[in-house]
Amino acid sequence: MTSDTSTSSRRQYDVVVVGGGHNGLVSAAYLSRAGLSVLVLERLDHTGGAAVSAQAFAGHDTRLSRYSYLVSLMPQRLMADLGLDVALASRTTASYTPWVRDGVHGGLLVERPEGKKTRKSFAKLTGSDEEYDAWTRFYEGVGGLAEVVAPTLLDPLPTERDIRDRVDPEIWRDVVERPLGAAIEERFRDDLVRGVVGTDALIGTFASLHDPSLIQNRCFLYHLVGNGTGEWRVPVGGMGAVTDALARSAVEGGAEILTSAGVSAIRTSPSGDGEAEVTWDADGRSHTVEARFVLANVAPWVLGILLGGDEDPAAKPVGAQLKINFLLDRLPELRSGRNPEVAFAGTLHLAEELSTLETAYAEAAAGRVPSVLPGEVYCHSLTDPSILGPSGEGRHTLTYFGLHTPATLFDADPGTAKASAVARAIASLNEHLVEPIESCVSRDANGNPCIEAKIPQEIEADLAMPGGHIFHGDLEWPWAPNRSRLDTPAQQWGVQTGLDAVLLCGSGARRGGAVSGIGGHNAAQAVLASR
């Protein structure tokens, strides 16, 4: 969604939102509907940030979810509050993981919901029911943790003790208190099963599963906690359907949205309280407005620069993913014989045995593109064929998300390193296909293969996410440490910056990660509580 002018209608606002991504739009919708004057400033010529749909290939009207691709934690309550007319579709397959052992091709199928085929698939891989029973016990425990955490995400921060006392002690220890890799190795015996469990800890997070910082544990929790079920769903019409609905909700509430308005500075009073000024550039001119509150839907590292701080390279986040979008004439056949409409309907895991994940991390940490690149593939068109457009019948989209590809791998020679990473990503897929994926790829209007790849540097250039980090920085636990000071509304909602007039409303806020709107909701609640 775009605006018609680069000039705001007034000089003073209750709230200025810097950044028109999904969290910023959530804040704007809540606050404008509460009667506050709200201005949203977006650097790009459209709102939506990373959660957009785009026509990526010339000659094809297919609209891809180009960056963010699934709706994860967005609570139903938030969608109802804002009147979002968005359909979220469940994928019929949870995951499929092709494997090769002793020259035999097979695949680990996890249905949604799990049933006899899932148990049979585990038994074929491991030779008994023990691994599936361990899988069931573990995810029942994680589900119990999610059921406790999920209802708190739209409330003031609970303390760690509030959550811990309501959770099974063994699950709390395994997910919160020690490296996730230790729990996985104790609970599961099969290398492939271990890796499938561990991969949710590594999406957009560069870490060993044994990292003592527990950053991987926090990532794992965010991937399993959404709406108490952890299910990631496909937005019908693509990710742009979500952010377009949010923009409509904000505008209907009375918010103003200006696009092509790149904010260059945020200034506050010397004492750090009171009002703020926001300056942006548009149409070759500089514009400034005053606001009681500024909500920053940018990474904390970027916010520091806008507030006049130094651009500290050492503090800059480092993203760690390779994104490849494909448009296919047809789905490829798998060597395992599994129906591709089943295998590709959920998350297709590639090269994600635990040993492979750890080797890839070690190679990348040493500055080398992993020799075998772990990654995951999603086929949204199987769940939502509407994204293919009128001329797309019979075609399919594929999205590949590669792990352990930190931005540092591409600094010295981006072109060569990117080509190597893309080639290894495709090789990990082709290993399990009857014919190479290249033979299934559509051609654009210019005769070029419909393949689009993005490394962290390109994501940063496109979206101003520092280091291409999809979470704006390391994720935090979705609760407050036991001895935290929670004196102000901003602290109570986990959106504080140290300045009374400036709050975080994006992924950099506590509880802000992934496509959830939770950071935007919580910043809006802190503003309302402050009034």
Side-chain angles (χ1 to χ4, degrees):
M1 183 171 287
T2 61
S3 62
D4 298 324
T5 177
S6 63
T7 305
S8 59
S9 67
R10 53 201 295 175
R11 288 296 308 275
Q12 292 183 316
Y13 291 84
D14 293 318
V15 179
V16 172
V17 180
V18 178
H22 82 281
N23 272 307
L25 296 173
V26 168
S27 288
Y30 270 105
L31 293 171
S32 62
R33 286 167 169 251
L36 279 67
S37 57
V38 180
L39 173 66
V40 179
L41 299 172
E42 169 53 47
R43 177 184 64 93
L44 299 176
D45 63 1
H46 58 272
T47 56
V52 294
S53 303
Q55 186 176 343
F57 303 117
H60 297 284
D61 48 16
T62 298
R63 295 185 63 77
L64 298 172
S65 295
R66 199 171 207 168
Y67 303 104
S68 297
Y69 42 89
L70 293 169
V71 176
S72 52
L73 285 85
M74 186 170 284
Q76 295 290 343
R77 185 175 116 200
L78 183 154
M79 298 180 71
D81 285 350
L82 301 183
L84 303 186
D85 184 17
V86 178
L88 300 179
S90 294
R91 298 178 292 169
T92 55
T93 298
S95 70
Y96 183 74
T97 308
W99 48 260
V100 186
R101 293 188 178 177
D102 298 324
V104 176
H105 288 264
L108 181 65
L109 173 68
V110 180
E111 307 159 279
R112 176 172 287 122
E114 291 177 22
K116 293 180 179 179
K117 291 181 180 179
T118 301
R119 178 176 287 277
K120 182 178 179 181
S121 185
F122 271 81
K124 184 176 181 180
L125 172 68
T126 66
S128 75
D129 288 335
E130 291 182 6
E131 203 76 334
Y132 182 64
D133 291 340
W135 169 283
T136 300
R137 287 192 299 272
F138 179 63
Y139 281 107
E140 284 178 350
V142 172
L145 172 59
E147 289 175 0
V148 172
V149 174
T152 71
L153 297 176
L154 296 183
D155 293 332
L157 278 168
T159 65
E160 179 180 335
R161 186 180 299 106
D162 294 332
I163 302 297
R164 184 195 63 203
D165 290 349
R166 299 168 58 198
V167 174
D168 176 80
E170 186 177 7
I171 282 293
W172 182 265
R173 179 198 64 178
D174 286 351
V175 176
V176 179
E177 294 183 340
R178 63 173 181 159
L180 185 65
I184 290 173
E185 290 178 351
E186 286 182 10
R187 287 174 174 267
F188 304 100
R189 296 181 179 179
D190 187 85
D191 192 29
L192 186 68
V193 175
R194 287 173 169 178
V196 172
V197 175
T199 185
D200 278 329
L202 303 175
I203 299 296
T205 299
F206 184 55
S208 163
L209 286 168
H210 294 279
D211 195 312
S213 74
L214 305 187
I215 182 178
Q216 73 281 15
N217 294 48
R218 300 195 290 275
C219 183
F220 179 82
L221 179 61
Y222 273 81
H223 280 83
L224 272 298
V225 76
N227 285 297
T229 66
E231 181 184 357
W232 289 47
R233 292 176 291 175
V234 175
V236 176
M239 291 299 299
V242 177
T243 46
D244 285 351
L246 286 170
R248 284 194 297 271
S249 181
V251 170
E252 288 169 1
E256 293 179 47
I257 299 177
L258 301 184
T259 54
S260 300
V263 171
S264 56
I266 301 170
R267 290 176 289 273
T268 62
S269 63
S271 64
D273 55 12
E275 294 190 344
E277 287 186 344
V278 180
T279 299
W280 74 95
D281 300 312
D283 293 339
R285 294 183 296 144
S286 180
H287 309 260
T288 298
V289 294
E290 295 178 350
R292 174 64 187 89
F293 291 98
V294 176
L295 302 190
N297 188 29
V298 296
W301 188 81
V302 173
L303 175 61
I305 297 169
L306 295 178
L307 287 167
D310 294 330
E311 191 171 320
D312 181 5
K316 186 176 181 179
V318 177
Q321 65 283 323
L322 170 70
K323 182 81 183 290
I324 310 176
N325 291 311
F326 301 84
L327 182 63
L328 305 181
D329 289 332
R330 64 189 184 282
L331 287 176
E333 298 291 329
L334 287 99
R335 293 185 180 182
S336 66
R338 178 66 66 177
N339 182 345
E341 293 192 0
V342 173
F344 286 98
T347 299
L348 184 81
H349 297 287
L350 299 171
E352 290 192 335
E353 296 87 355
L354 178 61
S355 59
T356 306
L357 290 169
E358 290 296 283
T359 297
Y361 170 76
E363 290 177 333
R368 302 187 301 274
V369 175
S371 52
V372 177
L373 191 63
E376 305 184 345
V377 173
Y378 314 86
C379 180
H380 293 168
S381 53
L382 282 171
T383 303
D384 175 27
S386 73
I387 63 172
L388 294 168
S391 64
E393 185 176 354
R395 289 192 169 90
H396 281 290
T397 63
L398 283 189
T399 293
Y400 173 90
F401 190 98
L403 308 181
H404 292 334
T405 51
T408 50
L409 290 183
F410 306 98
D411 284 338
D413 188 352
T416 300
K418 177 181 177 180
S420 176
V422 170
R424 292 175 189 184
I426 291 175
S428 71
L429 176 58
N430 283 342
E431 179 184 4
H432 302 288
L433 303 181
V434 173
E435 56 182 332
I437 192 66
E438 292 92 333
S439 66
C440 303
V441 172
S442 304
R443 297 276 171 167
D444 67 15
N446 301 313
N448 299 313
C450 291
I451 302 175
E452 175 191 69
K454 299 282 187 179
I455 58 175
Q457 283 85 344
E458 291 168 319
I459 293 174
E460 178 174 10
D462 292 348
L463 301 174
M465 288 181 172
H469 201 303
I470 61 173
F471 301 133
H472 292 187
D474 292 348
L475 292 168
E476 299 179 90
W477 295 115
W479 50 72
N482 289 326
R483 292 182 175 83
S484 296
R485 293 183 62 89
L486 302 176
D487 299 329
T488 68
Q491 292 169 342
Q492 291 156 8
W493 287 94
V495 297
Q496 71 274 16
T497 66
L499 299 172
D500 290 347
V502 181
L503 307 179
L504 292 169
C505 74
S507 286
R510 189 178 285 269
R511 305 186 288 186
V515 179
S516 69
I518 293 169
H521 168 277
N522 292 347
Q525 300 311 308
V527 168
L528 295 174
S530 296
R531 298 176 71 240

